[in-house]
Amino acid sequence: HRIALHSEESLMWASVEQRCRTAVRKASKNGLVCRIAQDAKFLEPMFSFVEAIFARKKTTVSYDLGRLRRLWDAMHPLGKAVGLEVRLGEQLAAAGVFIFDDRQAFAWSEASDSAFNPLGPNNLLYWEAMRYFGARGMSHLHLPGAAGSPIGKFKASFNPEVLSYPFWIHDRHRLLRWGRRAYQEMYSLRAKWRYLLSSRERKGS
């Protein structure tokens, strides 16, 4: 989902759908505030949100926290990555890691705590990302997500251009196909187990 950006905030505001503008206003009225992350402390709680989302869908995350940290450590010192946090007081409601060059920005990882979703944190997160990158003269913000999926329908409210891309997997041998399926199932079980353990640890603390 490629969203066109503009340095004139009013033009971007007019381009998104009414339901999106309503949700952004609702988030602000509910006391949610979006700010630039000052350090990498938000990565771990944000990744726990990501794990929870994938666990509810009975699937697995395609990367781990270590990879996310390595990306941040490599890109942030170069001024090519930024973290946005949506908070209610001191509570983290949503967050995202965005990478960018001189022309375009890409949402690399973003998620919210489902307990805060009725307040509209995701709409506020993406709108503030549009403002941030639009003010810096970038042309587009790319958001991942399959068109027509629940997340795709949500992101459609930002009036993006939906880009298609080819994707295919070719197994040279039947055993490789079986092995990959077994690995995916094992990885899924491990991800669910890790999420349950982290949930218990958070409740215990």
Side-chain angles (χ1 to χ4, degrees), residues 8-166:
E8 286 289 336
E9 184 179 319
S10 59
L11 294 179
M12 289 195 298
W13 185 249
S15 70
V16 301
E17 295 183 2
Q18 178 61 46
R19 60 184 173 121
C20 181
R21 294 195 293 269
T22 300
V24 173
R25 292 191 188 100
K26 178 181 179 181
S28 297
K29 289 180 180 178
N30 284 321
L32 295 179
V33 176
C34 186
R35 68 188 190 192
I36 303 297
Q38 299 301 308
D39 50 45
K41 292 180 181 178
F42 75 100
L43 292 178
E44 185 170 354
M46 186 195 75
F47 187 72
S48 72
F49 301 161
V50 174
E51 288 185 308
I53 292 170
F54 276 75
R56 288 196 296 271
K57 295 179 179 179
K58 298 182 179 180
T59 186
T60 57
V61 189
S62 59
Y63 56 94
D64 58 20
L65 180 59
R67 183 179 177 188
L68 186 60
R69 284 175 170 158
R70 290 192 297 273
L71 172 81
W72 179 266
D73 291 342
M75 302 290 284
H76 186 256
L78 300 177
K80 298 298 182 181
V82 66
L84 295 182
E85 303 175 339
V86 175
R87 292 185 176 272
L88 181 63
E90 293 302 312
Q91 300 180 81
L92 185 67
V97 173
F98 299 83
I99 61 175
F100 52 92
D101 55 23
D102 295 333
R103 301 173 301 152
Q104 302 184 82
F106 303 81
W108 201 92
S109 180
E110 69 285 346
S112 63
D113 183 339
S114 60
F116 291 95
N117 284 350
L119 305 182
N122 294 300
N123 293 85
L124 182 61
L125 176 69
Y126 292 132
W127 167 245
E128 291 298 329
M130 290 172 64
R131 292 184 62 217
Y132 179 86
F133 294 115
R136 283 154 181 77
M138 296 179 193
S139 62
H140 293 91
L141 170 62
H142 295 255
L143 305 179
S149 66
I151 191 66
K153 291 177 181 177
F154 161 69
K155 292 176 180 178
S157 68
F158 292 89
N159 194 28
E161 175 187 5
V162 178
L163 306 178
S164 61
Y165 56 90

